[in-house]
């Protein structure tokens, strides 16, 4: 018999707050009703605040991957050249999609554990005098490795060399959780999904689109139908959609936007940093473990990918955690399979939940054969949560 609750520490879907769950428990409704816009129009406005854009955010029934596809299809033509970098499973999948949609992909492969190579981007863009490159792609938060990249710096590099390409950003595991400023950073296409920072079930993909990207849509783009901007544009301003929208998720989104507004975006970012730092300090204290991210400049505040000690199969840690302690970790993806387990620390989360994950991790690590001192990571996280920057275990000292 299984008592108590499951501990969900995959980086998505994340925990859905009770208020959001309850808000979705409403009867089906008429999506062509004259007052349907009362529900949907404030959602567009709310999303614009979270994305920090004055332009536009589309919502598609779909997962985050759908918004990737939409971004590409509506603004790029088959054969267009793009600049992208790959340093984990999600940035890899974006490269794969770009290739399959017929783009001419200039991909810079980076060691997994690091992120977008801004200096190299700059060199490639500077050398592209005839502006053949139409899109520059960045994954703000690589969920497979727990690495956050500096998107503002990519915009600076583009501006410094006067490159006019559109800037595409995957923000599926970062938007609404860590700092993101669509307009200020000049991001033209920003991709998000409902099941991570927005604390909703999967099923809604969101796409921030700049004025410049809307212009590119007017004059080009690939064959597209389901994801067509134009079909959305015709109806969205009155709160309608070209096909049946997921009304339950809209009710959930309305509540999650309220929660985000009540807590405040900057407080949300600070909370994610505080919780992530607790996890990082625990990892630093665990004998033989380390983060996949190779340095503090890459640390992700939404997910930590943790390399198990030499000789320990991270799959065992995950399996023991799941079978015995009812915790779900993120698995190691692709070349990291068996090497890492991931703790997702985003969305509806607090210190107590993180402490549970860390305590369980110490037991699961030991059962899987690691020699991690019981309580070592827990104590380091407690110290951090209690004493903040003056905590005894400093990461710099490790
Ligand atoms: C989860 C995730 C995706 C994929 O999103 P789906 O909603 O599963 O389609 C893409 N990119 C990143 C960075 C992610 O974390």
């Amino acid at each position: 018999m299984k008592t108590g609750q499951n501990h969900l520490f995959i980086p998505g879907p994340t925990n859905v707050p009770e208020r959001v769950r309850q808000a979705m428990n409403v009867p089906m409704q008429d999506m062509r009703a004259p007052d349907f816009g009362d529900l949907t129009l404030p959602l567009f406005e709310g999303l614009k605040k979270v994305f920090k854009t004055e332009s536009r955010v589309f919502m598609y029934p779909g997962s985050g991957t759908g918004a990737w596809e939409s971004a590409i299809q509506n603004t790029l033509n088959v054969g267009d050249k793009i600049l992208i970098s790959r340093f984990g499973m999600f940035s890899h999948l974006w490269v794969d999609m770009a290739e399959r949609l017929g783009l001419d992909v200039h991909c810079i492969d980076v060691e997994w554990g690091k992120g977008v190579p801004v200096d190299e981007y700059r060199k490639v863009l500077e050398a592209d005098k005839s502006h053949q490159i139409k899109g520059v792609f960045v994954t703000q938060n690589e969920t497979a490795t727990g690495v956050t990249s500096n998107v503002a710096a990519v915009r600076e590099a583009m501006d410094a060399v006067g490159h006019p390409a559109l800037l595409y950003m995957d923000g599926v595991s970062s938007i609404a959780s860590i700092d993101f400023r669509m307009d200020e950073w000049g991001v033209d296409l920003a991709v998000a999904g409902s099941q991570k920072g927005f604390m909703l079930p999967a099923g809604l993909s969101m796409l921030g689109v700049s004025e410049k990207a809307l212009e590119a849509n007017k004059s080009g783009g690939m064959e597209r139908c389901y994801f067509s901007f134009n079909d959305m544009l015709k109806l969205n301003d009155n709160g309608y959609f070209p096909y049946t929208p997921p009304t339950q998720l809209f009710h959930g989104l309305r509540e999650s936007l309220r929660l985000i507004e009540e807590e405040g975006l900057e407080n949300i970012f600070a909370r994610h940093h505080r919780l992530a730092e607790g996890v990082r300090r625990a990892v630093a204290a665990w004998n033989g473990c380390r983060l996949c991210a190779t340095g503090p400049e890459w640390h992700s505040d939404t997910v930590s990918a943790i390399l198990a000690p030499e000789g320990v199969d991270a799959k065992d840690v995950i399996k023991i955690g799941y079978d015995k302690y009812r915790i779900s970790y993120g698995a190691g993806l692709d070349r990291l399979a068996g090497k890492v387990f991931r703790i997702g620390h985003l969305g509806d989360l607090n210190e107590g939940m993180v402490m549970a994950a860390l305590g369980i991790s110490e037991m699961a690590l030991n059962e899987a054969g690691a020699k991690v001192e019981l309580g070592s990571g827990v104590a380091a996280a407690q110290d951090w949560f209690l004493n903040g920057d003056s905590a005894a275990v400093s990461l710099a000292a490790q």
Side-chain angles (χ1 to χ4, degrees), residues 7 9 327 329 351-361 363 378:
H7 308 283
F9 279 90
I327 189 167
Y329 298 111
E351 282 84 352
M353 292 157 85
V354 168
M355 294 311 301
L358 296 176
I360 293 170
S361 300
M363 294 191 283
V378 165

Side-chain angles (χ1 to χ4, degrees), residues 63-65 68 90 139 141 143 170 172-173 195-196:
S63 76
T65 306
W68 271 356
F90 293 96
T139 298
N141 190 73
T143 319
D170 176 347
V172 178
S173 63
Q195 78 277 22
K196 295 184 182 170

Side-chain angles (χ1 to χ4, degrees), residues 306-334:
I306 300 157
L307 286 153
E310 203 70 37
V312 174
D313 189 339
K315 283 189 195 136
D316 292 342
V317 179
I318 294 167
K319 187 167 170 23
I320 291 163
Y322 187 76
D323 288 344
K324 203 158 170 189
Y325 301 110
R326 299 187 67 198
I327 189 167
S328 287
Y329 298 111
L333 299 174
D334 194 70

Side-chain angles (χ1 to χ4, degrees), residues 63-141:
S63 76
T65 306
W68 271 356
E69 189 151 335
S70 172
I72 292 174
Q73 287 177 335
N74 285 283
T75 57
L76 291 167
N77 299 301
V78 172
D80 276 354
K81 189 165 183 179
I82 65 155
L83 174 62
I84 192 168
S85 50
R86 171 165 52 192
F87 36 79
M89 194 60 189
F90 293 96
S91 43
H92 162 71
L93 286 170
W94 215 6
V95 171
D96 179 59
M97 176 185 281
E99 286 173 345
R100 284 157 67 177
L101 290 176
L103 298 176
D104 175 8
V105 178
H106 181 135
C107 174
I108 302 175
D109 272 294
V110 176
E111 177 193 341
W112 287 29
K114 296 184 171 18
V116 175
V118 178
D119 288 343
E120 280 186 66
Y121 268 32
R122 185 187 164 123
K123 279 182 205 139
V124 172
L125 292 169
E126 194 161 27
D128 180 36
K129 300 286 183 221
S130 59
H131 298 159
Q132 293 301 304
I133 295 169
K134 303 299 176 199
V136 173
F137 284 53
V138 294
T139 298
Q140 186 187 18
N141 190 73

Side-chain angles (χ1 to χ4, degrees), residues 87-88 110-116 142 145 147 149 292-294 297-298:
F87 36 79
V110 176
E111 177 193 341
W112 287 29
K114 296 184 171 18
V116 175
E142 174 52 76
T145 56
V147 161
S149 289
C292 183
T294 56
E297 71 273 33
W298 303 118

